[in-house]
Amino acid sequence: MYYNGIYWTNPYIPVSELPEGYEYSGTVDEEMAYNTGLEGIEYYANPETDDFYTYQLTGTFAGGNTIDTTKMAMHYVQWIPIDEE
């Protein structure tokens, strides 16, 4: 993803509930989606953090660090800035 001039990644397990403090911020446009195919999905931000969440179809948490891609459902996916070192 590309948002506010920053590239983002989603390294964490999707969650079924949006964390407290996040509010609807709009829908992902073509530029923000940055070739991910996520145009048109909702995203949520918290003004006190430097991340955001999208609400999208993903695999289901199966335990540990495992996602079961045979059981697709809508989840919140956290996006964090990619550090450019």
Side-chain angles (χ1 to χ4, degrees):
M1 299 277 274
Y2 184 73
Y3 177 57
N4 286 339
I6 301 169
Y7 292 98
W8 301 77
T9 187
N10 60 338
Y12 303 116
I13 299 292
V15 295
S16 58
E17 293 185 24
L18 191 62
E20 189 173 321
Y22 288 82
E23 296 180 0
Y24 176 78
S25 295
T27 57
V28 174
D29 63 19
E30 185 177 346
E31 180 183 12
M32 184 178 176
Y34 194 71
N35 300 319
T36 60
L38 298 176
E39 298 90 356
I41 65 168
E42 299 173 351
Y43 73 97
Y44 301 80
N46 180 335
E48 297 180 12
T49 66
D50 63 350
D51 63 349
F52 66 92
Y53 283 80
T54 53
Y55 189 60
Q56 64 188 80
L57 188 63
T58 68
T60 302
F61 179 64
N65 269 345
T66 306
I67 298 292
D68 183 346
T69 57
T70 65
K71 296 179 181 174
M72 302 296 283
M74 295 298 288
H75 292 96
Y76 294 97
V77 176
Q78 183 180 23
W79 294 82
I80 61 169
I82 296 173
D83 291 330
E84 295 186 32
E85 297 179 20

